[in-house]
Amino acid sequence: MGPRRPVVLQSFRTPRPTSNPYLAAFLGSLPAGGRLGVDVRTFSWRQALLGNHDVLHVHWPELLLRSRRRSGRVLRALGTGLLLARVRARRTPVVRTVHNPSPHEDGGRVERFLLGRFDAATTLTVHLTTRTVGTVCPGSAAVVVPHGDYRAHHRDAPRAAPVPGRLVHPGLLRPYKGVEALLTAFAGVPGESSLHVLGPAPDDDLAGRVRRAAARDPRVRLDLRHVEDDELVLAVTAAELVVLPYAPRGGSGAQLLALSLDRPVLLPAGPAAAELAAEVGPGWVHVYEGDLSAEDLAAALAAVRADARTGARAERPDLSARDWEVLGRAHAELYHRAVGHRADHHTDAGPPVGAGRA
């Protein structure tokens, strides 16, 4: 009989069809058997406060605290406080994936306090990119495990042929993602181009502004809802170019989605875009300087067509570093090592343990 598999509690509930596909891909990558086998549990408050688990893996910790109702926020704050007390009492290792160095929206004083307690409880931070190392939980050990691709997740989904001139902006709409700037820039693009913006907008004010801007241009199609995977794949693969006019602070699921579906992307120039372009190969990542303009969109479309015509772009981007089987084993190894050291950062026994500094 082999060693007992560590029980790992994830901070998210069992993924649904409308959940971020990262979650399903991540869960599916974790080995259940062999030397690195782990027993993975998804989140419930009963499991968190009463169940037995050897590691707590936290993604987007602010989501544990948020609710549309005030009563819900109060109950979640109390539950989170109890969970943090239990983690400390049991010396449970806390692994934190840094999807974003800080929440996109400020949740208030109580949330900031409890997120600070999560930072203090963290044993090991998993960074999706070297650019976020040191931005959170500076007392924890840090490792880099990149964001995985979506090729396997969408392997069997039906695909569309790219529509000439079609630009697509997929994903959850937030103020920082620049969709309003994209709509303004697109209005100046001449010809038969079209723009498809799809994804829910949790911010009602932003949704209203986007709807009003889109209504002024009949070439814009707006779809502000959660869409099923097959519909999302059809929309993205219909793009000649996927436009994402924002620089992600952590990993970008939208960038990886487009590249996994073999569609080039347009991004703001900067270290993140340069790093991604070097990784995936020429012709897949196009950039612009400064504020997005109609000229930037037209130039990127022209470059995409030139790459296709001359064969400068490979048939598929190189995403070999994003293979989920490799990434799943990397996470499982971290869990085993964390359990072996039992969260030394809660004691005065020495420095925090992890799989090495990035």
Side-chain angles (χ1 to χ4, degrees), residues 4 6-7 53-55 87 89-94 123 335-347 353:
R4 184 179 72 87
V7 178
H53 48 271
D54 301 301
V55 178
V87 161
R90 295 167 62 92
R91 298 175 57 202
T92 303
V94 177
T123 310
Y335 298 150
H336 280 267
R337 294 182 67 172
V339 168
H341 289 82
R342 299 302 301 168
D344 289 342
H345 75 300
H346 286 316
T347 73
V353 68

Side-chain angles (χ1 to χ4, degrees), residues 3 16 40 50 123 125 164 177 182 184 246 263 277 279 281 345:
R16 298 174 295 177
V40 182
L50 300 176
T123 310
T125 50
K177 288 190 173 182
L182 171 57
T184 299
Y246 57 94
R263 292 298 179 265
E279 175 187 347
H345 75 300

Side-chain angles (χ1 to χ4, degrees), residues 230-257:
D230 284 0
E231 192 174 353
L232 176 64
V233 171
L234 283 172
V236 172
T237 52
E240 193 170 14
L241 177 68
V242 174
V243 184
L244 302 168
Y246 57 94
R249 295 177 293 171
S252 171
Q255 291 177 11
L256 268 296
L257 172 65

